[in-house]
Amino acid sequence: MFRRLMFFFCATALSACVATEPGPVSQTPYEEPVVQRSDTKAIANYRRVSARVEPVAESACRSLYPSIRIEFCDFGFEVLNDPKQPPNAFQSIGRDGRPVITFNINMLRTVKNDHEIAFIMGHEAGHQIAQHINQKVGNANTGALIGGLLMVAIGADPQAGLDLGGMIGGQAYSKKFELQADRIGAHLSSRAGYDPLIGAESFRRTQGSNGLLSTHPPSYDRIQTVEQTTAVINAAKARGEVAPIVW
Ligand SMILES: [Zn+2]
C-alpha cells in the first residue's frame, strides 16, 4: 500500500540496508548510474512488484506471529524521490507503528529487473520479520555505554567514546542480520513468484566489505546464503511443499 512516509524511525547506522549503499566509513562520491530509466517507469515497476510481494510478506509475517499487534505485519511501501541520494533501500517504522519499506529513486533507476526489486523488498521485510530494529537499538545502547566507560577510564572525552561505541555496537550484529534478511528475502521473493537467484545478482555488481565498521557482509557470503536458501526452497517445491521460513 502506498502512503506518505510520516516518520523515519532510524537514521545513519540503523537505516542503511542494501548492498549498493556504501558503508559508514567508506563513503564514495555518488556517480550517476550508467543505466537510467524514467522515474515514471521506475515507479511503475516498483508498484507492480510491491503488489505481489506485499500480500506474501504480510501473510508470512502473520503466520509467524499469529498473536502480535495487527500493525506489525501491515507493510507500507514508499518511494523517496530525492535524485541526489545514492541508490538505497531501507526499512523503518512509521508513526502508526507499521513497517515501511522505502526505495529511493536512484535505487529504482539502477535495479536491473523485477526479480531484484522483489528480492530487496523481501530482504527489507525480512528485517521486520526478524525484529532487527529493536535488537539494533539494544546493541547500540550497550556499545555506547561500554565506549563511554572506556573513554572515562583512560581520561578521554566520554562523548567520543559514546559516539564510537554506539556506532560499533549498533553494527555488532548487522552482518549477521543482513544474512538473516537475505534468507527471508529469498523465501518471500520466491513465494511472490520471482527467482531469488536472479534477484541476488545485484550483489555481483557491488563490492562487499570486511571492514570493522561496515554494515554489509562480503558479496560472496550473501550470494552463497541466497544459493543455499534457494536450494532448500526449490527442493521443497519439487516435493509439492512450501519451505518454512527460517533465518
Ligand atoms: Zn538489510
Side-chain angles (χ1 to χ4, degrees):
M1 177 181 169
F2 282 76
R3 66 199 171 82
R4 185 156 296 283
L5 185 58
M6 300 286 287
F7 174 64
F8 291 107
F9 175 83
C10 48
T12 58
L14 299 184
S15 66
C17 263
V18 165
T20 49
E21 138 272 350
V25 292
S26 58
Q27 297 287 345
T28 48
Y30 173 56
E31 293 171 17
E32 286 291 303
V34 179
V35 180
Q36 278 206 5
R37 56 178 67 88
S38 76
D39 290 357
T40 315
K41 177 86 161 54
I43 291 168
N45 294 344
Y46 186 70
R47 286 177 182 272
R48 181 177 60 247
V49 177
S50 67
R52 283 169 63 171
V53 172
E54 181 186 359
V56 165
E58 293 188 357
S59 139
C61 180
R62 291 196 202 289
S63 65
L64 285 161
Y65 301 106
S67 54
I68 207 159
R69 59 192 162 77
I70 192 82
E71 65 272 20
F72 183 88
C73 297
D74 190 6
F75 288 95
F77 292 84
E78 297 286 340
V79 175
L80 195 58
N81 201 349
D82 179 356
K84 292 200 180 71
Q85 283 193 359
N88 197 13
F90 55 91
Q91 188 244 317
S92 58
I93 303 293
R95 282 188 196 281
D96 54 5
R98 294 174 61 208
V100 180
I101 293 168
T102 303
F103 280 46
N104 70 13
I105 195 65
N106 283 323
M107 174 58 100
L108 287 174
R109 285 170 172 168
T110 49
V111 287
K112 296 270 190 219
N113 52 54
D114 287 4
H115 301 278
E116 292 190 354
I117 299 175
F119 181 81
I120 295 164
M121 273 178 189
H123 171 101
E124 299 306 335
H127 281 307
Q128 172 72 0
I129 288 173
Q131 307 198 59
H132 286 161
I133 284 184
N134 291 342
Q135 296 177 62
K136 275 189 177 178
V137 170
N139 290 341
N141 289 342
T142 308
L145 183 62
I146 292 169
L149 291 174
L150 278 176
M151 287 295 159
V152 169
I154 62 169
D157 176 9
Q159 190 57 45
L162 287 174
D163 293 342
L164 183 62
M167 187 157 60
I168 294 171
Q171 296 174 19
Y173 292 103
S174 63
K175 289 179 184 178
K176 188 175 94 180
F177 285 173
E178 293 309 318
L179 294 178
Q180 290 179 342
D182 284 341
R183 287 187 195 100
I184 299 171
H187 281 280
L188 297 181
S189 57
S190 172
R191 289 183 184 189
Y194 299 97
D195 186 338
L197 295 178
I198 303 174
E201 278 292 307
S202 68
F203 295 152
R204 298 186 196 278
R205 301 196 300 272
T206 58
Q207 267 198 320
S209 167
N210 287 306
L212 172 66
L213 296 180
S214 72
T215 52
H216 294 93
S219 296
Y220 173 78
D221 289 356
R222 304 190 72 178
I223 290 167
Q224 200 179 38
T225 296
V226 175
E227 284 176 351
Q228 287 167 352
T229 308
T230 306
V232 172
I233 293 167
N234 289 343
K237 213 182 269 182
R239 297 192 302 270
E241 297 167 8
V242 177
I245 298 179
V246 285
W247 60 88

